[in-house]
Amino acid sequence: MTFNPIKTEEQKTFFRQLFVLVGPICLQNLLSAAVSSADVVMLNFVGQTAIAAVNLASYVQFILFIFYIGLSSGLVILCAQYWGKKDTHSIETIFGFALKISLAVAFIFSAASIFIPEYVMRIFTDDLNMISVGAEYLKIVGWSYLILAFSQTFQAVLKSIEKVKIVTICTVTALSLNIVLNAVFIFGLFGCPKMGVKGVALATTIARIIEVVISVAAVIHVKEIKLRLECLFRKNKILFKDFLHISLPALGNEAVWGTGFTMYSVIMGHLGEDIVAANAVVQVLRNLASVACFGLAYGGAILIGKQLGSNQLDLAKRNAARLIKVTVLAGIFGGILMIIGEPLLYRFADLKSSAQEYLKWFCVINAFSLLGAAINTVFICGVFRAGGDAKFGFIMDTIAMWVVSVPLGFLSAFVFKFPPMVVYAIMFLDEYEKMIFVYLHYRSGKWVKNITRDFE
């Protein structure tokens, strides 16, 4: 093998730039996982029903976040390419499009959670105790969904222009406050009444308010772009069409995956409280173990998108290969962490013996699933979307989730009446159903595109 100093320096530059972007994103993901962990630990003192109910109710926010991730993907990738082209006016215009759509969707989620929470909970379970407790949570936390529309859109634009540190400060402050307020309201510290599940919802809502205030203040002080109220009223049919062309498939991709994943919770919700509670605890560990995997995929997409937007197509292809390798390694490490971390879960979750038995095997199943998720995410959400190719992932996840895994989950649970452990394992095979097709699409090189336009 011949030593090539140019490629070696290129590789060093890529990883240096990558970790400057990915480090803050991973910290945000880690803090977000820490909040979920804190919720489970503190709700453990309220009871297993509280853990299970809040876990099911939180899928409403999960679906909303899926929407934001999909919309933000189109926003970030298109803005990242225009950032590479140094066209900030187009970035501001795209921001206006995204904020209007975000507010419209957030209003629907917020209204449903506040005014008909019991009906929302019945989607996930028929257990009356979990419905009652979950409804209490949704009535309060529903107000935070409107606030998320602002903070998520502002932060997506800041990420696209590589202001990731600012976004990290906003997120870390809000999530740290969330953990502290959880303790205050759940345990009744500093003279506050003990609020239990309602306390978790109130803590989340207050933290979201602080987050959006910090986000707006940060945006005001960014010199490169001006995200003003005027951006909401800008019109550009060509740019809007491009935004929808990228965002809708990305949104559809996240939606079919997210709603499919939510259907897993619906199936588990009808299999009993034990399996829901065990899954809630395991997902805490999975979120922690997957921090680096998803941080690399989404951070790498920004960097590769910028290179494609500046017409450095060959460089983007080489760096995509490097991104894939490091993400796969992160997935292997995350899977190992899931398995060796399993004994620690029993220390902070007081589950029934039957739920503990589920917990043991759920860790193994999720470790296997996490590696597949890391591989598919870096291809679909990182490399392909960097070139504006979100349609392929949308098609793949639609087939894997809705043609195969979700129907198999329902059949195995309610028709064939398989044991819950078998049902759970079947549902988590979706990542491996599409992997070979994803890899072949990567090898085709169809994703290598500069999608920017000249408006001058």
Side-chain angles (χ1 to χ4, degrees):
M1 183 180 292
T2 305
F3 175 72
N4 189 328
I6 296 176
K7 284 192 174 181
T8 302
E9 186 58 36
E10 177 185 287
Q11 181 171 299
K12 288 180 180 178
T13 301
F14 169 71
F15 283 117
R16 184 167 58 249
Q17 293 173 338
L18 179 64
F19 289 116
V20 166
L21 277 173
V22 170
I25 292 175
C26 287
L27 182 59
Q28 294 169 50
N29 293 343
L30 182 61
L31 261 293
S32 181
V35 171
S36 300
S37 304
D39 285 351
V40 172
V41 171
M42 295 179 195
L43 284 172
N44 183 54
F45 292 91
V46 181
Q48 180 174 296
T49 301
I51 295 175
V54 171
N55 175 253
L56 289 180
S58 66
Y59 275 95
V60 177
Q61 181 172 288
F62 172 74
I63 296 171
L64 185 58
F65 262 121
I66 289 299
F67 165 78
Y68 287 135
I69 291 171
L71 192 70
S72 295
S73 292
L75 173 64
V76 168
I77 294 309
L78 198 54
C79 288
Q81 289 217 6
Y82 277 105
W83 179 241
K85 196 175 183 177
K86 305 187 186 308
D87 181 355
T88 56
H89 185 271
S90 293
I91 293 174
E92 296 163 6
T93 305
I94 296 165
F95 160 76
F97 300 154
L99 184 57
K100 283 186 287 189
I101 297 171
S102 295
L103 285 170
V105 173
F107 177 80
I108 297 171
F109 276 76
S110 184
S113 298
I114 294 168
F115 298 111
I116 52 170
E118 290 85 3
Y119 290 99
V120 174
M121 284 299 298
R122 286 183 185 278
I123 297 172
F124 302 102
T125 183
D126 53 5
D127 186 296
L128 294 180
N129 287 333
M130 285 196 284
I131 290 172
S132 177
V133 175
E136 290 182 356
Y137 174 84
L138 286 174
K139 284 179 183 177
I140 299 173
V141 82
W143 294 100
S144 72
Y145 300 158
L146 278 172
I147 301 166
L148 276 171
F150 290 97
S151 60
Q152 294 298 303
T153 309
F154 280 125
Q155 291 175 17
V157 174
L158 290 171
K159 286 179 183 178
S160 71
I161 63 170
E162 301 177 90
K163 300 293 182 182
V164 183
K165 289 182 180 179
I166 296 176
V167 178
T168 303
I169 292 171
C170 298
T171 307
V172 168
T173 302
L175 294 176
S176 299
L177 179 63
N178 197 347
I179 293 174
V180 172
L181 291 178
N182 273 346
V184 171
F185 295 137
I186 291 175
F187 301 122
L189 305 179
F190 309 114
C192 292
K194 292 183 178 181
M195 300 178 65
V197 167
K198 292 181 179 179
V200 175
L202 182 59
T204 299
T205 303
I206 294 173
R208 294 300 181 195
I209 293 172
I210 300 301
E211 181 179 23
V212 78
V213 169
I214 298 173
S215 297
V216 172
V219 165
I220 292 173
H221 289 87
V222 172
K223 297 178 181 179
E224 291 85 351
I225 55 172
K226 302 296 179 185
L227 303 183
R228 298 154 292 189
L229 187 63
E230 174 263 333
C231 296
L232 288 169
F233 304 99
R234 286 188 190 176
K235 294 182 179 180
N236 186 321
K237 290 183 179 179
I238 296 175
L239 196 55
F240 183 63
K241 185 178 179 180
D242 286 347
F243 174 65
L244 292 183
H245 180 72
I246 297 170
S247 294
L248 289 181
L251 177 57
N253 187 182
E254 298 293 347
V256 297
W257 180 85
T259 52
F261 203 78
T262 302
M263 292 309 296
Y264 295 171
S265 72
V266 172
I267 294 170
M268 286 185 282
H270 288 81
L271 292 178
E273 182 183 297
D274 287 342
I275 196 169
V276 174
N279 182 63
V281 175
V282 171
Q283 290 306 310
V284 168
L285 182 56
R286 176 169 176 145
N287 290 340
L288 291 169
S290 62
V291 162
C293 305
F294 300 131
L296 284 165
Y298 287 100
I302 296 170
L303 188 55
I304 294 170
K306 179 184 175 183
Q307 291 165 353
L308 291 171
S310 59
N311 263 332
Q312 296 175 289
L313 304 187
D314 289 334
L315 175 62
K317 287 173 66 176
R318 292 193 296 272
N319 284 336
R322 293 164 182 146
L323 175 66
I324 291 164
K325 289 176 183 177
V326 72
T327 306
V328 171
L329 289 175
I332 294 171
F333 176 78
I336 294 171
L337 185 62
M338 287 279 319
I339 294 173
I340 65 176
E342 178 251 329
L344 298 176
L345 296 178
Y346 301 105
R347 297 190 177 185
F348 67 82
D350 185 18
L351 302 177
K352 299 174 184 176
S353 58
S354 52
Q356 288 182 8
E357 185 63 26
Y358 287 138
L359 188 66
K360 181 197 308 180
W361 291 105
F362 284 5
C363 282
V364 176
I365 294 169
N366 273 273
F368 183 68
S369 172
L370 176 57
L371 175 58
I375 295 170
N376 287 318
T377 300
V378 72
F379 280 120
I380 293 174
C381 300
V383 174
F384 299 166
R385 289 187 188 174
D389 182 5
K391 188 180 294 185
F392 180 82
F394 173 46
I395 294 170
M396 280 293 94
D397 276 327
T398 300
I399 296 171
M401 296 294 287
W402 289 98
V403 178
V404 183
S405 290
V406 172
L408 281 180
F410 273 99
L411 287 172
S412 61
F414 306 121
V415 177
F416 301 117
K417 306 288 185 181
F418 289 157
M421 195 74 68
V422 176
V423 176
Y424 192 89
I426 288 172
M427 292 190 296
F428 278 81
L429 287 174
D430 61 285
E431 297 293 349
Y432 291 90
E433 296 160 5
K434 60 193 176 188
M435 194 176 292
I436 183 63
F437 302 102
V438 170
Y439 178 73
L440 290 175
H441 187 69
Y442 164 72
R443 294 288 296 175
S444 74
K446 294 178 181 179
W447 55 273
V448 187
K449 295 177 183 177
N450 179 342
I451 55 176
T452 62
R453 296 177 184 268
D454 294 314
F455 292 107
E456 297 178 1

